[in-house]
mmCIF file of all heavy atoms in Angstrom:
data_model
loop_
_atom_site.group_PDB
_atom_site.id
_atom_site.type_symbol
_atom_site.label_atom_id
_atom_site.label_comp_id
_atom_site.label_asym_id
_atom_site.label_seq_id
_atom_site.Cartn_x
_atom_site.Cartn_y
_atom_site.Cartn_z
ATOM 1 N N LYS A 1 -3.523 10.352 8.259
ATOM 2 C CA LYS A 1 -3.798 10.962 9.584
ATOM 3 C C LYS A 1 -5.282 11.538 9.566
ATOM 4 O O LYS A 1 -5.893 11.496 10.610
ATOM 5 C CB LYS A 1 -2.874 12.044 10.018
ATOM 6 C CG LYS A 1 -1.549 11.533 10.447
ATOM 7 C CD LYS A 1 -0.576 12.603 10.819
ATOM 8 C CE LYS A 1 0.755 11.995 11.243
ATOM 9 N NZ LYS A 1 1.788 13.078 11.497
ATOM 10 N N LYS A 2 -5.690 11.966 8.463
ATOM 11 C CA LYS A 2 -7.080 12.498 8.297
ATOM 12 C C LYS A 2 -8.133 11.368 8.232
ATOM 13 O O LYS A 2 -9.362 11.682 8.208
ATOM 14 C CB LYS A 2 -7.237 13.349 7.044
ATOM 15 C CG LYS A 2 -6.515 14.637 7.091
ATOM 16 C CD LYS A 2 -6.713 15.326 5.797
ATOM 17 C CE LYS A 2 -5.961 16.622 5.683
ATOM 18 N NZ LYS A 2 -6.119 17.223 4.246
ATOM 19 N N GLY A 3 -7.688 10.125 8.170
ATOM 20 C CA GLY A 3 -8.581 8.977 8.133
ATOM 21 C C GLY A 3 -9.026 8.649 6.658
ATOM 22 O O GLY A 3 -10.001 7.972 6.472
ATOM 23 N N LYS A 4 -8.269 9.150 5.705
ATOM 24 C CA LYS A 4 -8.587 8.880 4.309
ATOM 25 C C LYS A 4 -8.184 7.471 3.950
ATOM 26 O O LYS A 4 -7.226 6.933 4.494
ATOM 27 C CB LYS A 4 -7.870 9.895 3.395
ATOM 28 C CG LYS A 4 -8.213 11.339 3.546
ATOM 29 C CD LYS A 4 -9.619 11.655 3.110
ATOM 30 C CE LYS A 4 -9.940 13.123 3.380
ATOM 31 N NZ LYS A 4 -9.844 13.879 2.234
ATOM 32 N N ILE A 5 -8.901 6.846 3.129
ATOM 33 C CA ILE A 5 -8.578 5.566 2.482
ATOM 34 C C ILE A 5 -7.594 5.925 1.349
ATOM 35 O O ILE A 5 -7.898 6.792 0.568
ATOM 36 C CB ILE A 5 -9.823 4.825 2.040
ATOM 37 C CG1 ILE A 5 -10.738 4.498 3.234
ATOM 38 C CG2 ILE A 5 -9.513 3.599 1.265
ATOM 39 C CD1 ILE A 5 -12.113 4.057 2.841
ATOM 40 N N VAL A 6 -6.553 5.151 1.215
ATOM 41 C CA VAL A 6 -5.549 5.431 0.179
ATOM 42 C C VAL A 6 -5.460 4.136 -0.705
ATOM 43 O O VAL A 6 -5.238 3.064 -0.239
ATOM 44 C CB VAL A 6 -4.165 5.846 0.771
ATOM 45 C CG1 VAL A 6 -3.183 5.968 -0.351
ATOM 46 C CG2 VAL A 6 -4.325 7.148 1.578
ATOM 47 N N PHE A 7 -5.553 4.447 -1.971
ATOM 48 C CA PHE A 7 -5.408 3.416 -3.046
ATOM 49 C C PHE A 7 -3.899 3.527 -3.479
ATOM 50 O O PHE A 7 -3.460 4.576 -3.865
ATOM 51 C CB PHE A 7 -6.369 3.789 -4.171
ATOM 52 C CG PHE A 7 -6.296 2.969 -5.413
ATOM 53 C CD1 PHE A 7 -7.084 1.867 -5.580
ATOM 54 C CD2 PHE A 7 -5.404 3.327 -6.498
ATOM 55 C CE1 PHE A 7 -7.068 1.127 -6.727
ATOM 56 C CE2 PHE A 7 -5.385 2.569 -7.610
ATOM 57 C CZ PHE A 7 -6.173 1.479 -7.723
ATOM 58 N N ALA A 8 -3.234 2.440 -3.466
ATOM 59 C CA ALA A 8 -1.760 2.452 -3.578
ATOM 60 C C ALA A 8 -1.288 1.413 -4.626
ATOM 61 O O ALA A 8 -1.428 0.199 -4.386
ATOM 62 C CB ALA A 8 -1.011 2.262 -2.295
ATOM 63 N N ALA A 9 -0.799 1.881 -5.711
ATOM 64 C CA ALA A 9 -0.166 0.950 -6.724
ATOM 65 C C ALA A 9 1.268 0.673 -6.292
ATOM 66 O O ALA A 9 2.117 1.595 -6.175
ATOM 67 C CB ALA A 9 -0.258 1.609 -8.122
ATOM 68 N N MET A 10 1.606 -0.563 -6.131
ATOM 69 C CA MET A 10 2.911 -1.038 -5.613
ATOM 70 C C MET A 10 3.715 -1.699 -6.705
ATOM 71 O O MET A 10 3.281 -2.341 -7.534
ATOM 72 C CB MET A 10 2.682 -1.950 -4.447
ATOM 73 C CG MET A 10 1.781 -1.408 -3.354
ATOM 74 S SD MET A 10 2.467 0.088 -2.561
ATOM 75 C CE MET A 10 3.954 -0.521 -1.818
ATOM 76 N N ALA A 11 5.071 -1.528 -6.509
ATOM 77 C CA ALA A 11 6.059 -2.156 -7.354
ATOM 78 C C ALA A 11 6.761 -3.242 -6.570
ATOM 79 O O ALA A 11 6.251 -3.644 -5.490
ATOM 80 C CB ALA A 11 7.046 -1.128 -7.872
ATOM 81 N N ASN A 12 7.828 -3.689 -7.055
ATOM 82 C CA ASN A 12 8.541 -4.833 -6.396
ATOM 83 C C ASN A 12 8.815 -4.633 -4.958
ATOM 84 O O ASN A 12 9.243 -3.525 -4.537
ATOM 85 C CB ASN A 12 9.855 -5.079 -7.207
ATOM 86 C CG ASN A 12 10.635 -6.288 -6.701
ATOM 87 O OD1 ASN A 12 9.977 -7.265 -6.403
ATOM 88 N ND2 ASN A 12 11.931 -6.138 -6.664
ATOM 89 N N GLY A 13 8.462 -5.581 -4.194
ATOM 90 C CA GLY A 13 8.704 -5.498 -2.731
ATOM 91 C C GLY A 13 7.722 -6.420 -2.033
ATOM 92 O O GLY A 13 7.515 -7.557 -2.430
ATOM 93 N N ILE A 14 7.206 -6.033 -0.870
ATOM 94 C CA ILE A 14 6.347 -6.795 -0.024
ATOM 95 C C ILE A 14 5.096 -7.270 -0.737
ATOM 96 O O ILE A 14 4.681 -8.456 -0.620
ATOM 97 C CB ILE A 14 5.925 -6.028 1.185
ATOM 98 C CG1 ILE A 14 7.123 -5.654 2.033
ATOM 99 C CG2 ILE A 14 4.970 -6.847 2.079
ATOM 100 C CD1 ILE A 14 6.844 -4.638 3.143
ATOM 101 N N PHE A 15 4.476 -6.418 -1.611
ATOM 102 C CA PHE A 15 3.178 -6.722 -2.202
ATOM 103 C C PHE A 15 3.216 -7.035 -3.662
ATOM 104 O O PHE A 15 2.226 -7.490 -4.226
ATOM 105 C CB PHE A 15 2.312 -5.514 -1.966
ATOM 106 C CG PHE A 15 2.110 -5.172 -0.472
ATOM 107 C CD1 PHE A 15 2.869 -4.145 0.031
ATOM 108 C CD2 PHE A 15 1.366 -5.889 0.373
ATOM 109 C CE1 PHE A 15 2.807 -3.830 1.367
ATOM 110 C CE2 PHE A 15 1.289 -5.611 1.712
ATOM 111 C CZ PHE A 15 2.012 -4.583 2.257
ATOM 112 N N ALA A 16 4.268 -6.835 -4.328
ATOM 113 C CA ALA A 16 4.396 -7.071 -5.741
ATOM 114 C C ALA A 16 5.706 -7.693 -6.155
ATOM 115 O O ALA A 16 6.646 -7.664 -5.312
ATOM 116 C CB ALA A 16 4.149 -5.779 -6.541
ATOM 117 N N THR A 17 5.841 -8.146 -7.351
ATOM 118 C CA THR A 17 7.027 -8.741 -7.822
ATOM 119 C C THR A 17 7.624 -7.843 -8.961
ATOM 120 O O THR A 17 6.975 -6.982 -9.442
ATOM 121 C CB THR A 17 6.831 -10.117 -8.384
ATOM 122 O OG1 THR A 17 5.995 -9.942 -9.674
ATOM 123 C CG2 THR A 17 6.057 -11.056 -7.462
ATOM 124 N N PRO A 18 8.864 -8.125 -9.416
ATOM 125 C CA PRO A 18 9.414 -7.385 -10.462
ATOM 126 C C PRO A 18 8.596 -7.417 -11.754
ATOM 127 O O PRO A 18 8.641 -6.527 -12.586
ATOM 128 C CB PRO A 18 10.824 -7.962 -10.711
ATOM 129 C CG PRO A 18 11.147 -8.636 -9.466
ATOM 130 C CD PRO A 18 9.817 -9.116 -8.863
ATOM 131 N N TRP A 19 7.791 -8.382 -11.951
ATOM 132 C CA TRP A 19 7.074 -8.570 -13.183
ATOM 133 C C TRP A 19 5.515 -8.331 -13.017
ATOM 134 O O TRP A 19 4.759 -8.519 -13.968
ATOM 135 C CB TRP A 19 7.258 -9.987 -13.731
ATOM 136 C CG TRP A 19 8.706 -10.283 -13.828
ATOM 137 C CD1 TRP A 19 9.515 -9.947 -14.878
ATOM 138 C CD2 TRP A 19 9.499 -10.977 -12.962
ATOM 139 N NE1 TRP A 19 10.835 -10.368 -14.680
ATOM 140 C CE2 TRP A 19 10.862 -11.050 -13.414
ATOM 141 C CE3 TRP A 19 9.247 -11.598 -11.669
ATOM 142 C CZ2 TRP A 19 11.827 -11.632 -12.784
ATOM 143 C CZ3 TRP A 19 10.283 -12.262 -11.020
ATOM 144 C CH2 TRP A 19 11.583 -12.216 -11.559
ATOM 145 N N TYR A 20 5.147 -7.990 -11.872
ATOM 146 C CA TYR A 20 3.725 -7.918 -11.602
ATOM 147 C C TYR A 20 3.418 -6.791 -10.549
ATOM 148 O O TYR A 20 3.634 -7.004 -9.327
ATOM 149 C CB TYR A 20 3.179 -9.217 -11.121
ATOM 150 C CG TYR A 20 1.697 -9.353 -10.897
ATOM 151 C CD1 TYR A 20 0.833 -9.363 -11.946
ATOM 152 C CD2 TYR A 20 1.207 -9.468 -9.616
ATOM 153 C CE1 TYR A 20 -0.526 -9.458 -11.763
ATOM 154 C CE2 TYR A 20 -0.198 -9.563 -9.364
ATOM 155 C CZ TYR A 20 -1.068 -9.540 -10.459
ATOM 156 O OH TYR A 20 -2.360 -9.681 -10.297
ATOM 157 N N ASN A 21 2.970 -5.568 -10.930
ATOM 158 C CA ASN A 21 2.588 -4.622 -10.003
ATOM 159 C C ASN A 21 1.208 -4.926 -9.387
ATOM 160 O O ASN A 21 0.471 -5.735 -9.915
ATOM 161 C CB ASN A 21 2.483 -3.200 -10.718
ATOM 162 C CG ASN A 21 3.880 -2.789 -11.140
ATOM 163 O OD1 ASN A 21 4.856 -3.352 -10.857
ATOM 164 N ND2 ASN A 21 3.887 -1.671 -11.950
ATOM 165 N N HIS A 22 0.934 -4.294 -8.301
ATOM 166 C CA HIS A 22 -0.234 -4.725 -7.523
ATOM 167 C C HIS A 22 -0.779 -3.502 -6.737
ATOM 168 O O HIS A 22 -0.015 -2.640 -6.315
ATOM 169 C CB HIS A 22 0.087 -5.848 -6.608
ATOM 170 C CG HIS A 22 -1.015 -6.341 -5.760
ATOM 171 N ND1 HIS A 22 -2.246 -6.722 -6.195
ATOM 172 C CD2 HIS A 22 -1.052 -6.575 -4.402
ATOM 173 C CE1 HIS A 22 -2.974 -7.124 -5.238
ATOM 174 N NE2 HIS A 22 -2.299 -7.117 -4.078
ATOM 175 N N VAL A 23 -2.133 -3.451 -6.540
ATOM 176 C CA VAL A 23 -2.705 -2.390 -5.826
ATOM 177 C C VAL A 23 -3.187 -2.904 -4.410
ATOM 178 O O VAL A 23 -3.778 -3.967 -4.291
ATOM 179 C CB VAL A 23 -3.959 -1.780 -6.592
ATOM 180 C CG1 VAL A 23 -4.695 -0.859 -5.667
ATOM 181 C CG2 VAL A 23 -3.493 -1.133 -7.806
ATOM 182 N N ILE A 24 -2.900 -2.043 -3.387
ATOM 183 C CA ILE A 24 -3.322 -2.362 -2.075
ATOM 184 C C ILE A 24 -4.075 -1.117 -1.512
ATOM 185 O O ILE A 24 -4.084 -0.056 -2.129
ATOM 186 C CB ILE A 24 -2.183 -2.675 -1.108
ATOM 187 C CG1 ILE A 24 -1.165 -1.449 -1.067
ATOM 188 C CG2 ILE A 24 -1.498 -3.978 -1.528
ATOM 189 C CD1 ILE A 24 -0.015 -1.678 -0.078
ATOM 190 N N VAL A 25 -4.772 -1.260 -0.445
ATOM 191 C CA VAL A 25 -5.535 -0.199 0.188
ATOM 192 C C VAL A 25 -4.957 0.057 1.556
ATOM 193 O O VAL A 25 -4.673 -0.858 2.293
ATOM 194 C CB VAL A 25 -6.983 -0.570 0.253
ATOM 195 C CG1 VAL A 25 -7.819 0.530 0.959
ATOM 196 C CG2 VAL A 25 -7.634 -0.799 -1.091
ATOM 197 N N LEU A 26 -4.809 1.375 1.879
ATOM 198 C CA LEU A 26 -4.206 1.780 3.194
ATOM 199 C C LEU A 26 -5.202 2.543 3.929
ATOM 200 O O LEU A 26 -5.962 3.289 3.382
ATOM 201 C CB LEU A 26 -3.001 2.607 2.926
ATOM 202 C CG LEU A 26 -1.967 2.206 1.873
ATOM 203 C CD1 LEU A 26 -0.937 3.283 1.669
ATOM 204 C CD2 LEU A 26 -1.341 0.903 2.255
ATOM 205 N N TYR A 27 -5.111 2.451 5.286
ATOM 206 C CA TYR A 27 -5.879 3.377 6.096
ATOM 207 C C TYR A 27 -5.257 3.543 7.517
ATOM 208 O O TYR A 27 -4.721 2.592 8.015
ATOM 209 C CB TYR A 27 -7.359 3.098 6.193
ATOM 210 C CG TYR A 27 -7.728 1.818 6.886
ATOM 211 C CD1 TYR A 27 -7.963 1.765 8.247
ATOM 212 C CD2 TYR A 27 -7.889 0.687 6.070
ATOM 213 C CE1 TYR A 27 -8.297 0.539 8.851
ATOM 214 C CE2 TYR A 27 -8.240 -0.533 6.689
ATOM 215 C CZ TYR A 27 -8.475 -0.562 8.064
ATOM 216 O OH TYR A 27 -8.801 -1.762 8.669
ATOM 217 N N GLY A 28 -5.392 4.731 8.004
ATOM 218 C CA GLY A 28 -4.863 5.019 9.377
ATOM 219 C C GLY A 28 -3.396 5.310 9.326
ATOM 220 O O GLY A 28 -2.597 5.013 8.448
ATOM 221 N N ASN A 29 -2.985 6.111 10.343
ATOM 222 C CA ASN A 29 -1.595 6.405 10.690
ATOM 223 C C ASN A 29 -1.338 6.300 12.112
ATOM 224 O O ASN A 29 -1.771 7.202 12.917
ATOM 225 C CB ASN A 29 -1.272 7.788 10.134
ATOM 226 C CG ASN A 29 0.208 8.139 10.272
ATOM 227 O OD1 ASN A 29 0.906 7.665 11.132
ATOM 228 N ND2 ASN A 29 0.643 9.020 9.316
ATOM 229 N N ASP A 30 -0.728 5.228 12.514
ATOM 230 C CA ASP A 30 -0.438 4.922 13.957
ATOM 231 C C ASP A 30 1.045 4.963 14.159
ATOM 232 O O ASP A 30 1.740 3.961 13.985
ATOM 233 C CB ASP A 30 -1.064 3.594 14.258
ATOM 234 C CG ASP A 30 -0.896 3.191 15.733
ATOM 235 O OD1 ASP A 30 -0.610 4.110 16.505
ATOM 236 O OD2 ASP A 30 -1.136 2.008 16.044
ATOM 237 N N ASN A 31 1.624 6.169 14.507
ATOM 238 C CA ASN A 31 2.972 6.289 14.781
ATOM 239 C C ASN A 31 3.862 5.812 13.585
ATOM 240 O O ASN A 31 4.766 5.104 13.781
ATOM 241 C CB ASN A 31 3.398 5.582 16.090
ATOM 242 C CG ASN A 31 2.727 6.225 17.256
ATOM 243 O OD1 ASN A 31 2.657 7.412 17.352
ATOM 244 N ND2 ASN A 31 2.238 5.418 18.146
ATOM 245 N N GLY A 32 3.483 6.213 12.344
ATOM 246 C CA GLY A 32 4.252 5.855 11.215
ATOM 247 C C GLY A 32 3.950 4.517 10.560
ATOM 248 O O GLY A 32 4.568 4.138 9.615
ATOM 249 N N LYS A 33 2.924 3.886 11.071
ATOM 250 C CA LYS A 33 2.462 2.638 10.447
ATOM 251 C C LYS A 33 1.015 2.758 9.968
ATOM 252 O O LYS A 33 0.251 3.535 10.550
ATOM 253 C CB LYS A 33 2.566 1.467 11.483
ATOM 254 C CG LYS A 33 3.984 1.107 11.758
ATOM 255 C CD LYS A 33 4.042 -0.148 12.510
ATOM 256 C CE LYS A 33 5.523 -0.580 12.720
ATOM 257 N NZ LYS A 33 5.611 -1.925 13.182
ATOM 258 N N THR A 34 0.705 2.060 8.986
ATOM 259 C CA THR A 34 -0.696 2.120 8.377
ATOM 260 C C THR A 34 -1.180 0.638 8.221
ATOM 261 O O THR A 34 -0.348 -0.265 7.973
ATOM 262 C CB THR A 34 -0.726 2.852 7.058
ATOM 263 O OG1 THR A 34 -2.070 3.050 6.666
ATOM 264 C CG2 THR A 34 0.062 2.131 5.974
#
């Protein structure tokens, strides 16, 4: 909400697999979505 850029290490799911973690970048908060 402050407009900060967020560095996010992700586990299994949308952006990574059970065997491969992955980093994404987030920004903004629009009614619970980024």
Side-chain angles (χ1 to χ4, degrees):
K1 284 179 182 175
K2 290 179 184 176
K4 300 288 178 100
I5 296 167
V6 174
F7 176 93
M10 303 302 294
N12 187 35
I14 298 167
F15 304 100
T17 69
W19 307 278
Y20 184 71
N21 293 352
H22 178 52
V23 170
I24 59 176
V25 177
L26 315 174
Y27 65 88
N29 185 329
D30 183 15
N31 295 318
K33 291 191 173 190
T34 189

